[in-house]
Amino acid sequence: MNKINYQKKLDEITQYNKREDVLPSLLLHSCCAPCSSYTIEYLCEYFSITVLYYNPNISPKAEYDKRKAEQIRLINSMKLSNKVSFMDCDYDSDEFYEIAKGYENCREGGERCFRCYELRLDRTAVLAKANGFDWFCTTLSISPLKNAQKINEIGYMLQDKYSISWLPSDFKKREGYKRSIELSKEYGLYRQNFCGCVFSKNIKENDDEQSAC
């Protein structure tokens, strides 16, 4: 099966938005400040953005709080053409552990990650619909370790489920990931060395131990 060019789909939507008098509203799920940096910079010209921080996969709570604080600091610090708002969700790691049952030993990028994508995107879609947003999206596709095809597949599934428009993306395209690194340095952002969940952290630590042998 040929891969879909989701950047091209996004281009078509953003070019249409440029012709509108009022920017459409976008609820943008963010996994962390570094990944959101380029995404916000790129999309704020075409959408009125509210960043949603919903990441029950992140562990421990101190790590979650640190990443959330960096997200808020970035939004308040960035020099943007349009104001960006912030929406928070309560931290409940049990939601993640429930969907991860039976998939604890999956490598990063496998079925556990797909279930985690859907958990976070489902909440984003529900909140977007309930709060009258025009679109919903996520920053997840900017990471080279995340499966953009799967993320968009889930997004379109939720679009049909909740009747709320999914904004397709592959933000790593056009050196988006490289730009996120540049912006992270510019704003002095904390860049974590693991995805967020305890399972990915354990795998990272085991890989580091093996490479040091």
Side-chain angles (χ1 to χ4, degrees), residues 47-87:
F47 297 91
S48 175
I49 300 173
T50 295
V51 171
L52 171 67
Y53 198 78
Y54 172 64
N55 297 291
N57 57 306
I58 297 175
S59 179
K61 180 65 161 52
E63 178 74 15
Y64 172 88
D65 289 338
K66 185 173 184 178
R67 296 191 192 191
K68 184 174 76 170
E70 283 293 84
Q71 181 68 77
I72 295 171
R73 182 173 72 84
L74 176 66
I75 291 173
N76 292 333
S77 301
M78 288 190 79
K79 304 173 182 64
L80 301 168
S81 55
N82 294 296
K83 183 179 181 297
V84 173
S85 301
F86 180 77
M87 181 186 295

Side-chain angles (χ1 to χ4, degrees), residues 11-24:
D11 286 342
E12 294 170 355
I13 294 168
T14 55
Q15 290 307 304
Y16 179 84
N17 286 358
K18 286 186 72 171
R19 300 194 297 268
E20 296 295 290
D21 294 332
V22 179
L23 294 178

Side-chain angles (χ1 to χ4, degrees), residues 146-195:
K146 300 294 187 294
N147 187 324
Q149 297 290 314
K150 189 66 177 181
I151 290 166
N152 283 283
E153 176 186 313
I154 293 169
Y156 279 119
M157 180 270 291
L158 295 171
Q159 170 181 272
D160 294 340
K161 181 178 179 179
Y162 295 114
S163 298
I164 177 73
S165 295
W166 164 250
L167 185 68
S169 72
D170 192 352
F171 292 120
K172 69 178 69 67
K173 298 286 189 179
R174 297 179 183 167
E175 299 192 324
Y177 180 68
K178 178 182 177 182
R179 177 59 179 159
S180 74
I181 295 174
E182 294 171 351
L183 288 167
S184 294
K185 291 179 180 178
E186 179 179 343
Y187 290 99
L189 297 177
Y190 163 61
R191 290 184 65 86
Q192 60 281 358
N193 64 355
F194 69 103
C195 175

